[in-house]
Amino acid sequence: MNLIFKLLIFLIISTNVYAFGDKNDYTSVKKAFETETPPLFNYIGNKKFCKRATLYTIPYTKLNTGATSMVGESGKLKAHFFAVSFGHAIASYLEGELKPDLSYKKEEFINKFIPYLVKAADDKYFTINKWTKGGSSVAYAQTMILINLSILMDFMDNKNLWKDGQRVKIVKWGNILYKKSHYGHSSNGGRKQSDRWPDTVSKAAAAYMLWGYVNKDLKIFKDGFRDLMKEYNKIPADGKYHQHYKGKYAGEIKDSWDLFLENKTLGDLVIASYVGELVGMKTFNKTNKKGGNIKKAIDYLGKISTDPETLKGQDEKHLKNLTADGNSWMTIYRKLDPDDKNPLVDLHLKTSEEKGYGFSQILNYSRCIGNEIN
């Protein structure tokens, strides 16, 4: 009897390990999920940025293999390229809507890309994690897929483009990606949730809240919100988040990447905050116990990202739209803070004016999808 009792307790704890100690009030989320939630974007598109998109239908497998490094070409995973395909697909469809002579692109999206995605779901792409010592996180890559896939799902929902059975298959596959992206999952070689760096926590927050939102799955949404709270509660009143930059994780990969990692971490927190705001979970302007909030953190990020002294020795490619992890998240930031006083806004608009964010790892083609012309 004692053994059975212990086993029962173990099962209860392991089932609810990510929910332990959650005291957040999700009443507004429950109410929102019981009704029709607003779309993430209006999906109107524009001729300026909805162009040169490609329908990628590259065949992959279940294997989500690691890379041999965290930097450079050797640090890129197949899953990273796969994640980019969703933004390209949406932009291609919208270009077909906007330009009558390219209307065939809508048919290609429906008859070519979506069947490809259903096959990816049937074949369970990127669901078997194979880590490489010293390489990029394969679980992190799964959260990247979920972010972009969530936006595609939202797009399909609001355009009423699904055929029978397609959505169900993709959700089932996405739920596997969701589960296995947790460091504590048995597929991740004994890693723990506590092993995650802030950039991984923030990416998970954005991914899980988006996936929960588009599927009205409260449990998954809560999981993401808890990750958002973990980082949100670190922000002090002066906005100096200081995790990868001047913080505990500074120099962990290489010194010149500190500001870059801080930027993408906070960018993911902006995405998560935006999703929360849509269902009444305030973090953007609402202050935590330290007096900080997401806006204050981005205000500070804007200052240090345009300060010549701060930039000495820092890789600035993310500020110049010359890397896959850039500032596409600013499209969402401007929805939350429309006054455009943050200097990151000017950088975002100027550096994406010509080529947009076609190959950003998340939110690629953001200025097309978000109809952000100026």
Side-chain angles (χ1 to χ4, degrees):
M1 177 67 82
N2 190 40
L3 180 62
I4 294 174
F5 177 75
K6 287 181 178 179
L7 179 61
L8 181 61
I9 293 298
F10 171 78
L11 289 172
I12 292 172
I13 292 173
S14 61
T15 302
N16 296 281
V17 64
Y18 307 125
F20 185 75
D22 190 345
K23 296 180 181 179
N24 296 300
D25 182 0
Y26 295 100
T27 303
S28 64
V29 186
K30 292 176 183 177
K31 288 181 179 178
F33 284 2
E34 290 170 357
T35 58
E36 186 174 341
T37 51
L40 296 168
F41 301 99
N42 59 28
Y43 303 115
I44 295 172
N46 57 75
K47 291 181 180 180
K48 184 174 183 178
F49 293 107
C50 298
K51 60 185 179 182
R52 295 192 293 271
T54 302
L55 281 185
Y56 289 100
T57 55
I58 301 170
Y60 295 104
T61 68
K62 292 181 180 180
L63 290 179
N64 184 26
T65 53
T68 57
S69 172
M70 289 189 183
V71 299
E73 290 299 317
S74 59
K76 294 180 180 178
L77 309 183
K78 290 180 179 179
H80 294 173
F81 294 104
F82 178 64
V84 168
S85 67
F86 306 125
H88 271 269
I90 296 171
S92 181
Y93 182 96
L94 290 174
E95 186 177 28
E97 271 194 337
L98 292 162
K99 300 176 182 178
D101 58 320
L102 297 178
S103 61
Y104 67 89
K105 289 195 169 190
K106 294 191 297 180
E107 299 303 316
E108 285 185 342
F109 176 94
I110 294 168
N111 298 322
K112 184 179 179 182
F113 184 76
I114 297 306
Y116 161 75
L117 199 56
V118 172
K119 186 179 187 305
D122 286 338
D123 292 348
K124 298 181 175 63
Y125 279 12
F126 301 108
T127 56
I128 297 180
N129 291 347
K130 297 290 183 182
W131 291 74
T132 302
K133 186 176 181 180
S136 301
S137 166
V138 294
Y140 182 92
Q142 288 170 323
T143 55
M144 284 172 46
I145 292 173
L146 281 177
I147 287 173
N148 292 344
L149 180 58
S150 295
I151 294 169
L152 181 88
M153 300 279 282
D154 189 63
F155 171 78
M156 292 283 290
D157 290 344
N158 286 281
K159 291 286 186 180
N160 295 312
L161 298 176
W162 295 110
K163 294 180 181 178
D164 287 347
Q166 291 179 332
R167 198 184 195 288
V168 173
K169 288 184 176 183
I170 292 171
V171 172
K172 185 177 180 181
W173 164 56
N175 284 342
I176 298 172
L177 292 171
Y178 158 71
K179 290 175 183 176
K180 293 196 172 184
S181 68
H182 289 81
Y183 272 43
H185 192 276
S186 59
S187 65
N188 291 320
R191 290 169 176 80
K192 303 174 183 177
Q193 289 295 94
S194 58
D195 292 336
R196 299 179 302 165
W197 290 356
D199 66 321
T200 303
V201 175
S202 65
K203 189 73 73 180
Y208 302 163
M209 288 177 70
L210 278 167
W211 191 246
Y213 181 85
V214 299
N215 295 308
K216 295 186 176 181
D217 189 315
L218 184 60
K219 181 181 177 182
I220 294 176
F221 180 92
K222 286 181 178 181
D223 195 7
F225 191 77
R226 287 190 292 272
D227 275 341
L228 170 58
M229 287 295 98
K230 182 177 181 180
E231 300 308 313
Y232 164 78
N233 286 326
K234 294 177 182 177
I235 303 170
D238 59 8
K240 296 179 180 179
Y241 176 60
H242 285 183
Q243 294 299 303
H244 294 282
Y245 171 76
K246 288 189 175 181
K248 177 181 177 181
Y249 301 89
E252 285 291 335
I253 297 181
K254 54 181 182 178
D255 292 341
S256 62
W257 271 27
D258 289 350
L259 184 60
F260 158 64
L261 291 171
E262 195 89 341
N263 182 289
K264 72 170 183 169
T265 302
L266 286 169
D268 287 331
L269 294 182
V270 166
I271 296 169
S273 180
Y274 172 66
V275 179
E277 297 279 331
L278 290 175
V279 289
M281 302 298 280
K282 307 292 184 180
T283 57
F284 188 72
N285 284 306
K286 182 180 178 180
T287 55
N288 59 27
K289 291 181 179 178
K290 295 180 179 180
N293 57 35
I294 301 297
K295 186 181 184 302
K296 288 183 178 182
I298 305 303
D299 285 344
Y300 175 69
L301 180 67
K303 291 177 183 177
I304 60 176
S305 297
T306 50
D307 176 17
E309 288 301 312
T310 300
L311 293 174
K312 286 181 180 178
Q314 291 297 311
D315 188 332
E316 298 178 47
K317 289 198 289 290
H318 67 285
L319 299 173
K320 299 176 180 178
N321 196 15
L322 297 175
T323 181
D325 280 303
N327 282 349
S328 59
W329 57 269
M330 286 299 298
T331 298
I332 284 181
Y333 178 82
R334 294 181 74 204
K335 288 176 171 290
L336 294 166
D337 181 23
D339 69 13
D340 286 348
K341 292 180 180 178
N342 193 305
L344 283 172
V345 174
D346 280 342
L347 276 171
H348 156 66
L349 294 175
K350 289 175 182 176
T351 60
S352 61
E353 181 69 16
E354 292 299 320
K355 62 177 183 176
Y357 291 105
F359 286 92
S360 291
Q361 289 183 338
I362 62 165
L363 286 178
N364 57 319
Y365 277 95
S366 66
R367 294 191 68 178
C368 161
I369 296 168
N371 192 26
E372 187 187 15
I373 300 174
N374 49 51

